[in-house]
Amino acid sequence: MASKELIRIKTISEYHALRGLPKPKHPLISVIDFADMQKQSQKGSETLIFDFYSLSVKRNMSHKYKYGQKDYDFDEGILFFIAPNQVLRIETEENTQPPTGWMLIIHPDFLWNKTLAKTITQYEFFDYSLHEALFLSGDEEQILQQLIENIRQEYNTNTDKFSSDIMVSLLEALFNYSNRFYQRQFITRDKAHHEILERLEIVLNKYFNSEMMISNGIPTVQYISDQLNISPGYLRTLLHNLTGQNTQQFIHQKLTEKAKEKLSTTSHSVSEIAYELGFEHPQSFSKFFKKMTNTTPLAFREMFN
């Protein structure tokens, strides 16, 4: 059985050594074919944490990847992203066929003094969980494959003063295409995403109708994401595509609807309703309600008398 201890991989060279690959030609970036790995994950499990960025397309893997709350089996062409300091657990059964695909790993130091060092954090897919990977069409995979081949060519070329800038520009193109394809996925996987939206409504209604509102206050984005088993970043992007709102705006909208319901159908005082909805002070509730509706709780209630 493989070790279950957490293995921290600090450098590109350490990862090459872990997988039985030759020493990298560049200490801060590498393009790897899975078929070239001499040391695949052994039967059992291993937990890895990288100090670098990773992008992978994997197929025909006899592994299960656990990342957050979900498992994911890689049996078709999909792309997933891991940022530094994210934990990945790999569970391996007996190998039945060799893996295929590629992996691009980039140490943050490679981007030092480059604009991409700052903008890379704006690509939300680095905050997505493994089961929120990007499903690629044949044409999309071909585009990314060509970019990877261009990066590989630069990687294998003798380094000159242009090499770093060229590879960074190719990385930006790779990230931008991935961003485009993710946006497409939010449209083509519309049914699955509407199912998440329905589950979100159920989670919020259950929370609003429980004692948690009084004890814990307004639900946090992290709490909602955990209940749905999706990352906060993916939920934010999904909601923006479906509703035009971010997660907090969606929660506040549903909270306002609940407040309207209580104001229009109960005789509870504004102070009591504020308490029931998790507000410590009635003034905070009134300010919130006024911001959301352009009217005060009392003025809204009077509309029904």
Side-chain angles (χ1 to χ4, degrees):
M1 297 287 287
S3 172
K4 294 185 179 181
E5 295 181 2
L6 186 146
I7 304 172
R8 188 175 198 107
I9 311 298
K10 297 181 180 179
T11 66
I12 305 295
S13 296
E14 286 180 8
Y15 187 78
H16 274 239
L18 179 70
R19 295 305 185 214
L21 294 162
K23 291 183 179 180
K25 294 185 177 181
H26 194 293
L28 300 177
I29 188 169
S30 183
V31 182
I32 300 167
D33 285 326
F34 286 104
D36 294 335
M37 291 183 177
Q38 300 301 311
K39 297 179 182 178
Q40 299 287 344
S41 299
Q42 301 300 309
K43 183 178 180 181
S45 66
E46 64 180 5
T47 303
L48 306 176
I49 182 169
F50 300 149
D51 283 5
F52 43 79
Y53 293 96
S54 166
L55 296 76
S56 301
V57 167
K58 299 185 177 182
R59 288 197 195 83
N60 304 325
M61 305 293 284
S62 56
H63 308 147
K64 277 190 175 181
Y65 290 78
K66 287 180 177 285
Y67 186 59
Q69 303 284 337
K70 291 270 189 170
D71 296 354
Y72 206 94
D73 295 303
F74 289 91
D75 54 6
E76 54 183 304
I78 62 176
L79 178 67
F80 75 92
F81 304 79
I82 297 179
N85 299 314
Q86 292 179 334
V87 178
L88 175 68
R89 189 165 89 251
I90 305 172
E91 295 190 352
T92 308
E93 300 176 354
E94 295 289 352
N95 285 329
T96 56
Q97 54 186 336
T100 60
W102 52 263
M103 181 180 192
L104 172 65
I105 48 181
I106 311 149
H107 196 280
D109 289 351
F110 182 74
L111 306 177
W112 182 82
N113 208 27
K114 305 290 186 185
T115 304
L116 186 56
K118 295 180 179 179
T119 58
I120 194 170
T121 59
Q122 298 174 12
Y123 293 102
E124 293 186 331
F125 42 70
F126 279 112
D127 291 329
Y128 296 167
S129 296
L130 192 66
H131 62 285
E132 299 153 357
L134 172 58
F135 290 74
L136 296 169
S137 70
D139 290 341
E140 290 168 349
E141 185 171 355
Q142 187 60 41
I143 290 172
L144 298 187
Q145 185 66 42
Q146 184 59 58
L147 286 168
I148 285 296
E149 291 305 320
N150 291 341
I151 293 172
R152 192 196 306 271
Q153 182 178 348
E154 282 298 320
Y155 176 78
N156 289 321
T157 300
N158 291 331
T159 302
D160 58 32
K161 66 179 182 179
F162 301 104
S163 300
S164 177
D165 287 341
I166 290 173
M167 279 205 278
V168 167
S169 68
L170 290 169
L171 289 174
E172 289 177 327
L174 179 64
F175 296 155
N176 287 332
Y177 271 110
S178 299
N179 215 12
R180 169 188 279 181
F181 299 156
Y182 253 116
Q183 295 306 311
R184 181 271 309 157
Q185 177 167 298
F186 282 110
I187 297 172
T188 57
R189 300 188 72 203
D190 190 59
K191 181 177 182 293
H193 291 147
H194 273 91
E195 289 174 351
I196 293 176
L197 186 60
E198 290 174 2
R199 288 168 50 211
L200 172 58
E201 300 254 9
I202 292 171
V203 167
L204 286 175
N205 286 333
K206 182 178 179 181
Y207 190 98
F208 290 157
N209 291 322
S210 73
E211 294 297 318
M212 288 189 290
M213 282 297 292
I214 298 174
S215 59
N216 299 332
I218 300 172
T220 64
V221 172
Q222 187 63 58
Y223 171 84
I224 297 300
S225 300
D226 290 344
Q227 294 300 303
L228 298 173
N229 289 327
I230 60 179
S231 65
Y234 194 85
L235 178 58
R236 178 177 59 249
T237 309
L238 183 152
L239 283 174
H240 186 267
N241 278 271
L242 293 181
T243 69
Q245 299 174 309
N246 62 34
T247 310
Q248 188 176 62
Q249 289 170 333
F250 188 86
I251 293 172
H252 285 177
Q253 176 195 323
K254 295 301 176 183
L255 181 61
T256 303
E257 292 175 4
K258 189 67 177 178
K260 287 180 177 180
E261 175 188 322
K262 287 180 175 291
L263 288 166
S264 61
T265 62
T266 75
S267 59
H268 298 177
S269 69
V270 171
S271 295
E272 289 172 330
I273 292 174
Y275 177 72
E276 292 166 0
L277 294 180
F279 291 87
E280 292 186 15
H281 307 288
Q283 297 90 337
S284 298
F285 169 63
S286 296
K287 183 177 179 180
F288 168 82
F289 193 85
K290 179 70 178 294
K291 179 181 177 181
M292 295 295 293
T293 66
N294 290 321
T295 188
T296 66
L298 286 176
F300 179 82
R301 169 168 275 174
E302 288 174 358
M303 294 168 56
F304 296 88
N305 294 330

